[in-house]
Short mmCIF file of all heavy atoms in Angstrom, two decimals:
data_model
loop_
_atom_site.label_atom_id
_atom_site.label_comp_id
_atom_site.label_asym_id
_atom_site.label_seq_id
_atom_site.Cartn_x
_atom_site.Cartn_y
_atom_site.Cartn_z
N ARG V 1 -134.03 -166.47 -33.40
CA ARG V 1 -133.94 -167.09 -32.06
C ARG V 1 -133.63 -168.56 -32.21
O ARG V 1 -134.03 -169.22 -33.18
CB ARG V 1 -135.23 -166.86 -31.28
CG ARG V 1 -136.42 -167.63 -31.78
CD ARG V 1 -137.57 -167.50 -30.79
NE ARG V 1 -138.65 -168.34 -31.20
CZ ARG V 1 -139.74 -167.94 -31.87
NH1 ARG V 1 -139.85 -166.67 -32.21
NH2 ARG V 1 -140.66 -168.79 -32.22
N GLY V 2 -132.86 -169.09 -31.26
CA GLY V 2 -132.47 -170.50 -31.32
C GLY V 2 -131.27 -170.75 -30.44
O GLY V 2 -130.89 -169.91 -29.61
N THR V 3 -130.68 -171.92 -30.62
CA THR V 3 -129.51 -172.32 -29.82
C THR V 3 -128.28 -172.29 -30.73
O THR V 3 -128.25 -172.98 -31.75
CB THR V 3 -129.72 -173.73 -29.23
OG1 THR V 3 -130.93 -173.69 -28.46
CG2 THR V 3 -128.55 -174.13 -28.33
N TYR V 4 -127.31 -171.49 -30.35
CA TYR V 4 -126.09 -171.27 -31.15
C TYR V 4 -124.91 -171.97 -30.51
O TYR V 4 -124.75 -171.90 -29.29
CB TYR V 4 -125.79 -169.77 -31.26
CG TYR V 4 -126.80 -169.02 -32.14
CD1 TYR V 4 -128.08 -168.75 -31.65
CD2 TYR V 4 -126.47 -168.63 -33.42
CE1 TYR V 4 -129.01 -168.06 -32.46
CE2 TYR V 4 -127.38 -167.96 -34.21
CZ TYR V 4 -128.65 -167.67 -33.73
OH TYR V 4 -129.55 -167.01 -34.53
N THR V 5 -124.12 -172.64 -31.30
CA THR V 5 -122.93 -173.35 -30.79
C THR V 5 -121.67 -172.79 -31.46
O THR V 5 -121.58 -172.72 -32.69
CB THR V 5 -123.02 -174.87 -31.03
OG1 THR V 5 -124.22 -175.34 -30.40
CG2 THR V 5 -121.83 -175.60 -30.48
N CYS V 6 -120.73 -172.42 -30.59
CA CYS V 6 -119.41 -171.95 -31.04
C CYS V 6 -118.44 -173.11 -30.83
O CYS V 6 -118.31 -173.62 -29.72
CB CYS V 6 -119.02 -170.76 -30.18
SG CYS V 6 -117.30 -170.22 -30.33
N GLN V 7 -117.79 -173.57 -31.90
CA GLN V 7 -116.86 -174.70 -31.79
C GLN V 7 -115.50 -174.30 -32.40
O GLN V 7 -115.43 -173.80 -33.51
CB GLN V 7 -117.39 -175.92 -32.54
CG GLN V 7 -116.52 -177.15 -32.35
CD GLN V 7 -116.97 -178.31 -33.23
OE1 GLN V 7 -116.75 -178.30 -34.44
NE2 GLN V 7 -117.58 -179.30 -32.61
N VAL V 8 -114.45 -174.53 -31.60
CA VAL V 8 -113.10 -174.18 -32.05
C VAL V 8 -112.23 -175.44 -32.00
O VAL V 8 -112.30 -176.20 -31.04
CB VAL V 8 -112.48 -173.08 -31.16
CG1 VAL V 8 -111.07 -172.71 -31.64
CG2 VAL V 8 -113.36 -171.83 -31.15
N THR V 9 -111.43 -175.63 -33.05
CA THR V 9 -110.44 -176.71 -33.06
C THR V 9 -109.05 -176.09 -33.20
O THR V 9 -108.84 -175.20 -34.02
CB THR V 9 -110.69 -177.68 -34.25
OG1 THR V 9 -112.01 -178.22 -34.10
CG2 THR V 9 -109.68 -178.79 -34.28
N TRP V 10 -108.12 -176.54 -32.33
CA TRP V 10 -106.74 -176.08 -32.37
C TRP V 10 -105.83 -177.22 -32.76
O TRP V 10 -106.11 -178.39 -32.44
CB TRP V 10 -106.29 -175.58 -30.99
CG TRP V 10 -107.05 -174.41 -30.45
CD1 TRP V 10 -106.75 -173.10 -30.60
CD2 TRP V 10 -108.20 -174.46 -29.60
NE1 TRP V 10 -107.66 -172.32 -29.92
CE2 TRP V 10 -108.56 -173.12 -29.30
CE3 TRP V 10 -108.99 -175.50 -29.08
CZ2 TRP V 10 -109.65 -172.80 -28.49
CZ3 TRP V 10 -110.09 -175.17 -28.27
CH2 TRP V 10 -110.41 -173.84 -27.99
N ARG V 11 -104.71 -176.88 -33.42
CA ARG V 11 -103.68 -177.89 -33.72
C ARG V 11 -102.49 -177.60 -32.81
O ARG V 11 -102.01 -176.48 -32.74
CB ARG V 11 -103.25 -177.82 -35.19
CG ARG V 11 -102.23 -178.90 -35.57
CD ARG V 11 -101.87 -178.84 -37.06
NE ARG V 11 -103.02 -179.15 -37.91
CZ ARG V 11 -103.45 -180.40 -38.16
NH1 ARG V 11 -102.84 -181.43 -37.60
NH2 ARG V 11 -104.48 -180.62 -38.96
N ALA V 12 -102.04 -178.64 -32.09
CA ALA V 12 -100.90 -178.50 -31.20
C ALA V 12 -99.60 -178.66 -32.00
O ALA V 12 -99.62 -179.11 -33.14
CB ALA V 12 -100.97 -179.55 -30.10
N SER V 13 -98.46 -178.30 -31.38
CA SER V 13 -97.18 -178.39 -32.09
C SER V 13 -96.86 -179.83 -32.45
O SER V 13 -96.11 -180.09 -33.38
CB SER V 13 -96.06 -177.76 -31.24
OG SER V 13 -96.13 -178.28 -29.93
N ASN V 14 -97.44 -180.82 -31.75
CA ASN V 14 -97.19 -182.24 -32.11
C ASN V 14 -98.26 -182.75 -33.09
O ASN V 14 -98.39 -183.96 -33.30
CB ASN V 14 -97.18 -183.12 -30.83
CG ASN V 14 -98.56 -183.16 -30.15
OD1 ASN V 14 -99.53 -182.56 -30.64
ND2 ASN V 14 -98.62 -183.85 -29.03
N ASN V 15 -99.01 -181.78 -33.70
CA ASN V 15 -100.04 -182.08 -34.70
C ASN V 15 -101.32 -182.71 -34.16
O ASN V 15 -102.20 -183.07 -34.95
CB ASN V 15 -99.49 -182.92 -35.85
CG ASN V 15 -98.91 -182.02 -36.95
OD1 ASN V 15 -99.22 -180.83 -36.98
ND2 ASN V 15 -98.08 -182.58 -37.78
N SER V 16 -101.45 -182.89 -32.84
CA SER V 16 -102.71 -183.40 -32.33
C SER V 16 -103.74 -182.27 -32.34
O SER V 16 -103.38 -181.10 -32.35
CB SER V 16 -102.52 -183.93 -30.90
OG SER V 16 -102.19 -182.88 -30.03
N LEU V 17 -105.02 -182.64 -32.36
CA LEU V 17 -106.10 -181.66 -32.42
C LEU V 17 -106.89 -181.64 -31.11
O LEU V 17 -107.10 -182.69 -30.49
CB LEU V 17 -107.06 -181.98 -33.58
CG LEU V 17 -106.46 -181.91 -34.99
CD1 LEU V 17 -107.48 -182.38 -36.00
CD2 LEU V 17 -105.99 -180.51 -35.32
N ILE V 18 -107.31 -180.43 -30.71
CA ILE V 18 -108.17 -180.29 -29.53
C ILE V 18 -109.40 -179.52 -30.02
O ILE V 18 -109.28 -178.49 -30.70
CB ILE V 18 -107.50 -179.47 -28.42
CG1 ILE V 18 -106.34 -180.27 -27.82
CG2 ILE V 18 -108.49 -179.11 -27.32
CD1 ILE V 18 -105.63 -179.49 -26.72
N THR V 19 -110.61 -179.99 -29.66
CA THR V 19 -111.85 -179.30 -30.03
C THR V 19 -112.67 -179.01 -28.78
O THR V 19 -112.80 -179.87 -27.91
CB THR V 19 -112.68 -180.16 -30.99
OG1 THR V 19 -111.90 -180.39 -32.17
CG2 THR V 19 -113.97 -179.46 -31.41
N LYS V 20 -113.17 -177.77 -28.69
CA LYS V 20 -114.04 -177.37 -27.56
C LYS V 20 -115.23 -176.64 -28.15
O LYS V 20 -115.15 -176.03 -29.22
CB LYS V 20 -113.32 -176.43 -26.60
CG LYS V 20 -112.06 -177.02 -25.94
CD LYS V 20 -112.38 -177.63 -24.59
CE LYS V 20 -111.16 -178.27 -23.95
NZ LYS V 20 -110.58 -177.49 -22.89
N GLU V 21 -116.36 -176.66 -27.40
CA GLU V 21 -117.53 -175.91 -27.87
C GLU V 21 -118.34 -175.39 -26.68
O GLU V 21 -118.27 -175.95 -25.57
CB GLU V 21 -118.42 -176.74 -28.80
CG GLU V 21 -119.04 -177.96 -28.19
CD GLU V 21 -119.91 -178.71 -29.19
OE1 GLU V 21 -119.51 -178.90 -30.36
OE2 GLU V 21 -121.02 -179.11 -28.79
N ILE V 22 -119.07 -174.30 -26.92
CA ILE V 22 -120.04 -173.81 -25.93
C ILE V 22 -121.32 -173.48 -26.67
O ILE V 22 -121.31 -173.20 -27.87
CB ILE V 22 -119.56 -172.56 -25.14
CG1 ILE V 22 -119.27 -171.39 -26.08
CG2 ILE V 22 -118.41 -172.87 -24.23
CD1 ILE V 22 -119.22 -170.04 -25.36
N THR V 23 -122.43 -173.51 -25.93
CA THR V 23 -123.75 -173.27 -26.51
C THR V 23 -124.41 -172.10 -25.82
O THR V 23 -124.34 -171.98 -24.60
CB THR V 23 -124.57 -174.55 -26.36
OG1 THR V 23 -123.93 -175.59 -27.09
CG2 THR V 23 -125.97 -174.38 -26.94
N THR V 24 -125.05 -171.23 -26.59
CA THR V 24 -125.76 -170.08 -26.08
C THR V 24 -127.16 -170.07 -26.68
O THR V 24 -127.30 -170.17 -27.89
CB THR V 24 -125.04 -168.77 -26.45
OG1 THR V 24 -123.71 -168.80 -25.94
CG2 THR V 24 -125.76 -167.56 -25.87
N LYS V 25 -128.16 -169.92 -25.82
CA LYS V 25 -129.54 -169.82 -26.30
C LYS V 25 -129.89 -168.36 -26.47
O LYS V 25 -129.65 -167.56 -25.55
CB LYS V 25 -130.48 -170.49 -25.29
CG LYS V 25 -131.91 -170.59 -25.75
CD LYS V 25 -132.74 -171.39 -24.76
CE LYS V 25 -134.11 -171.58 -25.33
NZ LYS V 25 -135.17 -171.24 -24.44
N MET V 26 -130.44 -167.99 -27.63
CA MET V 26 -130.80 -166.59 -27.86
C MET V 26 -132.29 -166.44 -28.11
O MET V 26 -132.86 -167.16 -28.91
CB MET V 26 -130.05 -166.00 -29.05
CG MET V 26 -130.43 -164.53 -29.28
SD MET V 26 -129.44 -163.65 -30.48
CE MET V 26 -130.05 -164.38 -31.99
N GLU V 27 -132.89 -165.50 -27.38
CA GLU V 27 -134.28 -165.09 -27.61
C GLU V 27 -134.24 -163.74 -28.34
O GLU V 27 -133.35 -162.93 -28.09
CB GLU V 27 -135.02 -164.89 -26.28
CG GLU V 27 -135.71 -166.12 -25.74
CD GLU V 27 -136.67 -166.78 -26.71
OE1 GLU V 27 -137.41 -166.06 -27.45
OE2 GLU V 27 -136.68 -168.00 -26.77
N VAL V 28 -135.17 -163.50 -29.22
CA VAL V 28 -135.29 -162.19 -29.86
C VAL V 28 -136.62 -161.58 -29.42
O VAL V 28 -137.67 -162.19 -29.56
CB VAL V 28 -135.27 -162.33 -31.40
CG1 VAL V 28 -135.43 -160.97 -32.06
CG2 VAL V 28 -133.94 -162.96 -31.86
N VAL V 29 -136.52 -160.41 -28.79
CA VAL V 29 -137.73 -159.77 -28.24
C VAL V 29 -138.08 -158.52 -29.05
O VAL V 29 -137.21 -157.82 -29.52
CB VAL V 29 -137.58 -159.42 -26.74
CG1 VAL V 29 -137.48 -160.67 -25.90
CG2 VAL V 29 -136.38 -158.53 -26.49
N LYS V 30 -139.38 -158.32 -29.18
CA LYS V 30 -139.86 -157.10 -29.83
C LYS V 30 -140.19 -156.10 -28.75
O LYS V 30 -140.73 -156.46 -27.71
CB LYS V 30 -141.13 -157.40 -30.64
CG LYS V 30 -140.87 -158.04 -31.98
CD LYS V 30 -142.19 -158.12 -32.76
CE LYS V 30 -141.92 -158.55 -34.19
NZ LYS V 30 -143.12 -158.51 -35.01
N VAL V 31 -139.87 -154.84 -29.01
CA VAL V 31 -140.26 -153.80 -28.04
C VAL V 31 -141.45 -153.06 -28.62
O VAL V 31 -141.59 -152.99 -29.83
CB VAL V 31 -139.09 -152.79 -27.77
CG1 VAL V 31 -138.05 -153.44 -26.89
CG2 VAL V 31 -138.49 -152.28 -29.04
N ALA V 32 -142.29 -152.53 -27.74
CA ALA V 32 -143.41 -151.73 -28.20
C ALA V 32 -142.84 -150.52 -28.97
O ALA V 32 -141.86 -149.91 -28.53
CB ALA V 32 -144.21 -151.26 -27.03
N VAL V 33 -143.44 -150.22 -30.11
CA VAL V 33 -142.94 -149.11 -30.91
C VAL V 33 -143.47 -147.80 -30.34
O VAL V 33 -144.68 -147.66 -30.11
CB VAL V 33 -143.38 -149.29 -32.38
CG1 VAL V 33 -142.94 -148.09 -33.21
CG2 VAL V 33 -142.80 -150.57 -32.95
N THR V 34 -142.55 -146.87 -30.05
CA THR V 34 -142.94 -145.58 -29.51
C THR V 34 -142.27 -144.47 -30.30
O THR V 34 -141.13 -144.61 -30.74
CB THR V 34 -142.54 -145.46 -28.02
OG1 THR V 34 -141.13 -145.70 -27.92
CG2 THR V 34 -143.30 -146.43 -27.14
N LYS V 35 -143.00 -143.37 -30.47
CA LYS V 35 -142.44 -142.21 -31.16
C LYS V 35 -141.31 -141.62 -30.32
O LYS V 35 -141.35 -141.71 -29.09
CB LYS V 35 -143.50 -141.14 -31.36
CG LYS V 35 -144.51 -141.42 -32.43
CD LYS V 35 -145.48 -140.26 -32.54
CE LYS V 35 -146.48 -140.46 -33.64
NZ LYS V 35 -147.46 -139.40 -33.70
N PRO V 36 -140.34 -140.98 -30.98
CA PRO V 36 -139.29 -140.33 -30.17
C PRO V 36 -139.86 -139.15 -29.37
O PRO V 36 -140.74 -138.44 -29.86
CB PRO V 36 -138.28 -139.82 -31.21
CG PRO V 36 -138.74 -140.23 -32.51
CD PRO V 36 -140.11 -140.83 -32.40
#
């Protein structure tokens, strides 16, 4: 569990760079264990 960041950098045809990112928070939950 934690905060995850996805970051992508692109190169344009004129060699300039563009960078963007997004962040997603993830929780990990336990479920009660039950027999099938």
Side-chain angles (χ1 to χ4, degrees):
R1 71 171 186 261
T3 303
Y4 290 75
T5 302
C6 168
Q7 185 187 74
V8 180
T9 300
W10 298 269
R11 183 177 296 280
S13 49
N14 66 2
N15 272 343
S16 65
L17 296 175
I18 292 180
T19 300
K20 299 266 178 104
E21 64 179 43
I22 60 162
T23 298
T24 303
K25 186 174 186 230
M26 180 171 73
E27 270 306 320
V28 178
V29 293
K30 281 188 170 185
V31 285
V33 176
T34 55
K35 285 182 177 177

